[in-house]
Amino acid sequence: MPFAIKDTVEVMHSHIAKQGYITQHQVGEFTAPPIAELSAAVWPDSVGIPETTLNSLVEIHTVTVRIMIDWLKFKDADREYRIMEAQSRFLTDLVTDFQLGGNIRAVDFAGMYGAPVSVDWGRIDIGTPPKIYRVVDIRIPLIVDSTDTLAP
């Protein structure tokens, strides 16, 4: 079915889980402060069809993976180095994992069909009272083969 991004989000969540170094992860943004040193959330961002073939669609499913670390738990440089290492390791694992699963054909790292993989840094507050987190948001466009066949 075209635009079935749920499967793509589940594949990406499974990819995060099998890596093992991010111990708390979920689908959807955190609404309560996570307790793990490193945590991650994945959610859908966008869906598009940049190309059709003679009998099928090629889709781009873009997901966001947010890696988080407690702002106050570590000293400034230590916190930054820890989250930089996690971001680098995650993207390295993604580059070398040629079997993501499902209908995912490839990660569109260079942006052949639009925007490339991108990484944005920031901070967010979660909970009441708010707890501060350093975050890195990774937008990942995935080239997906649609399971639908176009009518003749």
Side-chain angles (χ1 to χ4, degrees), residues 2-39:
F3 306 111
I5 196 166
K6 177 182 178 229
D7 295 339
T8 306
V9 169
E10 288 174 348
V11 166
M12 188 56 61
H13 182 237
S14 176
H15 176 77
I16 295 166
K18 78 178 182 180
Q19 302 311 315
Y21 55 89
I22 297 174
T23 55
Q24 186 176 0
H25 40 80
Q26 68 180 40
V27 172
E29 294 186 61
F30 284 96
T31 55
I35 57 173
E37 180 177 311
L38 278 173
S39 53

Side-chain angles (χ1 to χ4, degrees), residues 4-130:
I5 196 166
K6 177 182 178 229
D7 295 339
T8 306
V9 169
E10 288 174 348
V11 166
M12 188 56 61
H13 182 237
S14 176
H15 176 77
I16 295 166
K18 78 178 182 180
Q19 302 311 315
Y21 55 89
I22 297 174
T23 55
Q24 186 176 0
H25 40 80
Q26 68 180 40
V27 172
E29 294 186 61
F30 284 96
T31 55
I35 57 173
E37 180 177 311
L38 278 173
S39 53
V42 59
W43 61 84
D45 199 350
S46 65
V47 177
I49 299 176
E51 180 177 58
T52 59
T53 64
L54 291 176
N55 63 355
S56 67
L57 305 172
V58 176
E59 297 183 33
I60 292 289
H61 294 183
T62 303
V63 299
T64 296
V65 172
R66 173 172 284 164
I67 301 174
M68 304 169 45
I69 191 169
D70 187 330
W71 187 277
L72 299 175
K73 187 172 182 176
F74 302 100
K75 298 260 186 219
D76 295 341
D78 189 34
R79 176 188 62 242
E80 297 301 314
Y81 292 140
R82 285 174 187 261
I83 200 163
M84 281 187 256
E85 177 64 28
Q87 172 261 315
S88 178
R89 190 170 171 189
F90 174 80
L91 286 174
T92 298
D93 290 344
L94 197 58
V95 167
T96 59
D97 189 348
F98 298 106
Q99 301 283 323
L100 282 175
N103 289 342
I104 297 174
R105 185 190 319 164
V107 177
D108 192 6
F109 282 102
M112 296 178 347
Y113 290 113
V117 170
S118 64
V119 179
D120 294 309
W121 299 81
R123 58 161 266 189
I124 60 168
D125 299 337
I126 300 176
T128 306

